[in-house]
Amino acid sequence: MQHDLIAQARTWLAEDPDPETRDELGALIEAGDTDELAARFAGTLQFGTAGLRGELGAGPMRMNRSVVIRAAAGLAAYLKAQGQDGGLVVIGYDARYKSEDFARDTAAVMTGAGLRAAVLPRPLPTPVLAYAIRHLGAVAGVEVTASHNPPRDNGYKVYLGDGSQIVPPADGEIAAAIAAVGPLADVVRPEDGWETLGEEVLEAYLARTDAVLAPGSPRTARTVYTAMHGVGTSVLTAAFARAGFPEPVLVAEQAEPDPAFPTVAFPNPEEPGAMDLAFATARRAAPDLIVANDPDADRCAVAVPDTSVEGGWRMLRGDEVGALLAAHLVERGVSGVFAESIVSSSLLGRIAEKAGLGYEETLTGFKWIARVDGLRYGYEEALGYCVDPEGVRDKDGITAALLVVELASVLKEQGRTLLDLLDDLALAHGLHATDQLSVRVEDLTVIADAMARLREQPPTALAGLAVTSAEDLSRGTASLPPTDGLRYQLEGARVIVRPSGTEPKLKCYLEVVVPVADAASLPAARARGAELLAGIKRDLAAAAGI
C-alpha cells in the first residue's frame, strides 16, 4: 500500500509543470510522509457546484497547475463535442495565489485545442468576467477564484455562453471529459496565441453599471467601503465616480489586493471580525452606510448606523438587503420576475405578490436563479444580488452596491434610513427574522451523520413550534429538482438544512414570521423573533447531534 502511494506520487511528480509544487511533493516523498501523501492522493478534486475549489498544493486532491490543465482540457473537449470548435473562451482571475498562472494555463490549453482564448487584462471582479462572456459572444468563460474562502484556497468557476454558471447535465459531462484526459504531456499548450484583452471590456462593463440607477435619482449618500483585500476597489470607485456618488472612504488596510488576507481570519463579510476595521473607519468618518465586497466582488454586504448596538454599527443580514433592494425596485416601477433560492427569506415572495410581479423559488446558487425566465431581480441570503440580469447573469457586488447607495440616497433626501424602510416592510408583511446555524467541520462524516440522523428521526417541534411538514429535498419536489437538503415548515417558521456546496460546512437556514400590529409593537416583535430563532437553533442542533 505504502509502495503504491509513493509510486503514484512519483508518477504525478514526473508530470507536474510547476517547480513550486514539484519541490513540495518531492519533499513529501523524500520524508516518507505517507499520511500527507494519502490525503493528497485520496482521489481527485471533484468538479461540481462551483467548478473546482480546494486548498492549494501538490497532488490530485489539491488546486494546482496539473489539476487546472486537466480541467481546462476537459472543458475544451466538452465544448468541441458541443460543436463549439473555434469558439471564444474568456478567462478572468482574481488576486489569489496562483490565479494568474491558472488563467494563463487555461488560455494555453484552449488555444492548443483549437478554441480562441481571451484573458482579462488584470485581476478583476468575477461579475466583469460574467459580463464579458455575453458582451464578446463567447461560448464559455472561466473565472479563477475561490471567492471568500480562506487564503490557502483557490478555485475554477465555469460559465457557458449564456453567461450563467454551469448546471446539470453540463457539469457532469464536463467532469467526465476531465476524467478522460490522458497524460499531461499529450495536452497541447502553446506559449502564445491567445489574446490579452485591454481596458475596453472593463469600460463596457462600467458603462453598463449606470443602467441600474434611475436617471436623475439622488446620489448623496456617503459610504465607507472595504474590498476585503480583494479586487473590488478600483472597479467600485470607478463605478461610483461615473454615477456621481460621493467618493467612498476606503478601509485603507483592506483596500489593495493581498492574497494573504492579513487582517481577517476568513475574507467573508459575514464572518465574525471581518468587518471590524470597516466599523472603526466608519466611527471616524461618520458615513450614511458601509459597503463591503468579498474578495472577488460578486457579493455585497451593507452595514448601517444603529445606536442600539455596541459600537454603533450593525451589519444587515443578506435577507434584509435582499428585501430592501426589492422594495426599491418596486418603488421604481420595474416589471419582470423576482427570484430567490429556497434558503432565502419568504419576504421577497410577499413583496412581489403585493406589487403584482412574478415570483420564483430555485435551488441554492445563482446558477439556478440566473436561469429564471423573465428574471428582473434575484438574490440569495449569502449576500448575492443580481440587479441587472441582462448585463450580468450572476451575482454582482458592484451593481448591487450602486443600487443600495441609490436607495440610501433616496431615503436620506426624505430624512429617513434603510432601517426605517425595514420597519415599513415589517408593518406591511410581518416581521421576517432570519438566522443561520452554520457548523464548519474538519471531518466531512460529521455532516453526513447529521443529515442521516435528521432523516431517520425528523424533529416534531422546534422552539415549541410544531413541525407541520418535513420534506426530504433529495427526492425533488413539484417545482425543484433533487438536492441534498431537508425542509421543515413550522407554525410561523421555516427551516432548511443542507451541506454547503463550496465549503466543509453544514448550513441550517432559519426563518420566523411574527405578525406586527403597529409601529409601537415592533420592538416586542423583534424580541419574539430573536427568542424563537435562538430556540430553533438550540433544538435543531440537538436533533442533528451537532
Side-chain angles (χ1 to χ4, degrees):
M1 176 67 186
Q2 187 172 328
H3 177 73
D4 289 351
L5 188 58
I6 298 289
Q8 202 180 349
R10 286 194 196 284
T11 303
W12 184 274
L13 180 66
E15 282 198 324
D16 192 338
D18 188 335
E20 225 175 288
T21 45
R22 270 207 311 272
D23 289 349
E24 180 190 319
L25 187 54
L28 290 174
I29 295 168
E30 191 66 30
D33 189 343
T34 49
D35 286 351
E36 184 59 26
L37 286 171
R40 306 287 185 102
F41 288 84
T44 56
L45 269 188
Q46 288 306 299
F47 189 89
T49 307
L52 294 168
R53 203 177 282 185
E55 191 176 336
L56 289 161
M61 287 296 288
R62 298 286 183 268
M63 280 297 294
N64 52 62
R65 289 184 60 201
S66 298
V67 163
V68 165
I69 290 165
R70 286 180 180 282
L75 175 59
Y78 166 82
L79 292 171
K80 290 171 77 170
Q82 299 292 313
Q84 306 284 13
D85 211 348
L88 176 68
V89 179
V90 194
I91 302 148
Y93 58 101
D94 66 12
R96 284 177 178 267
Y97 296 119
K98 298 283 184 187
S99 285
E100 191 171 357
D101 294 346
F102 295 167
R104 190 179 58 247
D105 281 330
T106 301
V109 171
M110 295 301 162
T111 304
L115 291 146
R116 291 179 297 127
V119 184
L120 293 184
R122 53 192 164 87
L124 287 167
T126 294
V128 177
L129 180 274
Y131 168 80
I133 294 165
R134 302 183 74 201
H135 176 65
L136 298 171
V139 298
V142 171
E143 175 71 15
V144 181
T145 181
S147 191
H148 57 279
N149 277 37
R152 64 178 185 270
D153 288 2
N154 212 329
Y156 198 81
K157 188 183 281 194
V158 176
Y159 298 76
L160 292 181
D162 63 355
S164 50
Q165 296 174 52
I166 51 168
V167 294
D171 54 358
E173 290 167 10
I174 295 168
I178 294 169
V181 174
L184 280 196
D186 295 348
V187 177
V188 181
R189 284 184 294 133
E191 292 294 315
D192 52 35
W194 57 89
E195 181 185 0
T196 299
L197 296 165
E199 293 294 312
E200 64 280 353
V201 70
L202 177 60
E203 277 305 307
Y205 168 81
L206 285 168
R208 177 87 203 184
T209 61
D210 295 357
V212 305
L213 303 173
S217 61
R219 311 277 166 97
T220 54
R222 294 168 50 254
T223 55
V224 157
Y225 171 72
T226 176
M228 207 67 65
H229 298 297
V231 297
T233 299
S234 64
V235 180
L236 181 127
T237 52
F240 271 46
R242 288 181 72 104
F245 287 119
E247 186 179 349
V249 175
L250 301 181
V251 178
E253 303 92 330
Q254 297 175 336
E256 294 304 314
D258 186 338
F261 303 106
T263 67
V264 289
F266 287 96
N268 177 356
E270 294 177 295
E271 293 281 350
M275 294 288 286
D276 288 356
L277 286 169
F279 293 151
T281 305
R283 283 191 280 272
R284 293 192 298 273
D288 297 299
L289 72 167
I290 298 170
V291 170
N293 287 139
D294 66 340
D296 68 327
D298 64 349
R299 294 164 193 251
C300 177
V302 179
V304 293
D306 186 344
T307 53
S308 72
V309 299
E310 190 182 342
W313 282 84
R314 171 166 91 80
M315 267 278 283
L316 296 181
R317 300 193 67 84
D319 283 319
E320 291 177 309
V321 177
L324 287 168
L325 291 178
H328 181 44
L329 290 170
V330 165
E331 186 65 25
R332 277 179 32 185
V334 303
S335 58
V337 178
F338 282 10
E340 64 180 341
S341 63
I342 56 171
V343 298
S344 305
S345 171
S346 59
L347 177 55
L348 184 70
R350 292 185 169 93
I351 292 170
E353 185 182 15
K354 189 170 183 182
L357 296 172
Y359 167 74
E360 200 159 319
E361 227 181 16
T362 74
L363 291 184
T364 312
F366 267 82
K367 61 183 185 178
W368 299 108
I369 294 170
R371 285 184 157 74
V372 167
D373 282 345
L375 180 68
R376 176 58 186 85
Y377 167 64
Y379 99 90
E380 189 151 79
E381 57 73 48
L383 311 181
Y385 313 94
C386 175
V387 300
D388 176 25
E390 285 307 302
V392 176
R393 287 205 179 162
D394 199 1
K395 52 188 179 290
D396 182 346
I398 305 293
T399 49
L402 288 170
L403 200 61
V404 84
V405 179
E406 178 185 59
L407 170 58
S409 300
V410 169
L411 292 167
K412 185 179 182 178
E413 300 289 295
Q414 300 168 359
R416 304 174 74 235
T417 67
L418 295 173
L419 292 180
D420 293 328
L421 181 51
L422 284 173
D423 286 351
D424 292 351
L425 291 172
L427 287 168
H429 305 287
L431 177 77
H432 289 63
T434 58
D435 201 358
Q436 197 181 114
L437 170 62
S438 182
V439 183
R440 185 179 290 274
V441 301
E442 291 296 322
D443 178 1
L444 290 175
T445 61
V446 173
I447 294 176
D449 290 348
M451 294 297 288
R453 182 168 168 160
L454 288 170
R455 282 188 168 104
E456 286 158 21
Q457 296 174 297
T460 54
L462 296 168
L465 303 176
V467 174
T468 54
S469 77
E471 290 174 282
D472 186 343
L473 299 176
S474 66
R475 299 185 183 127
T477 72
S479 57
L480 297 169
T483 186
D484 187 10
L486 300 164
R487 177 162 59 181
Y488 303 111
Q489 301 290 349
L490 295 86
E491 290 169 355
R494 183 215 66 199
V495 172
I496 291 174
V497 184
R498 61 179 280 273
S500 168
T502 54
E503 297 175 273
K505 278 183 173 181
L506 181 69
K507 291 186 163 184
C508 311
Y509 304 85
L510 325 175
E511 178 176 47
V512 298
V513 183
V514 183
V516 183
D518 50 39
S521 52
L522 267 169
R526 286 214 169 82
R528 175 62 177 155
E531 177 194 349
L532 284 171
L533 287 171
I536 291 172
K537 202 184 271 195
R538 180 193 63 234
D539 293 353
L540 186 62
I546 51 176

